[in-house]
Amino acid sequence: MKNRLLSEILPSLDTSEPAKHPKCLGYTDEWTREFDCEYQTSLECADCKYGGHGGRKDPEAKVNQL
């Protein structure tokens, strides 16, 4: 009975990040564990419309490039 309860509770505790948009080019460097974005944008992931957080800004737009 205890195992059944755990299997019912644990899926609700899923804290994984939301799925990324297919065009998201963000990655975590395996060596330094730092996050970076191949778009070379000045946007934070929360603002980026490709970042999976519902943002509205386009990292490909020239105004958002570094």
Side-chain angles (χ1 to χ4, degrees):
M1 173 126 176
K2 189 183 259 186
N3 288 339
R4 193 189 88 193
L5 290 176
L6 284 176
S7 66
E8 291 173 4
I9 293 171
L10 289 178
S12 66
L13 298 176
D14 184 16
T15 58
S16 62
E17 292 187 23
K20 291 188 208 176
H21 184 282
K23 290 185 82 175
C24 177
L25 295 180
Y27 63 93
T28 302
D29 186 302
E30 294 290 327
W31 189 256
T32 65
R33 296 288 183 205
E34 292 181 6
F35 185 82
D36 204 357
C37 180
E38 289 182 23
Y39 280 113
Q40 298 298 310
T41 182
S42 59
L43 299 175
E44 296 291 325
C45 281
D47 296 331
C48 175
K49 72 179 183 179
Y50 299 155
H53 300 284
R56 296 167 51 159
K57 297 180 182 175
D58 185 353
E60 295 178 285
K62 190 171 184 174
V63 69
N64 294 327
Q65 299 294 310
L66 294 177

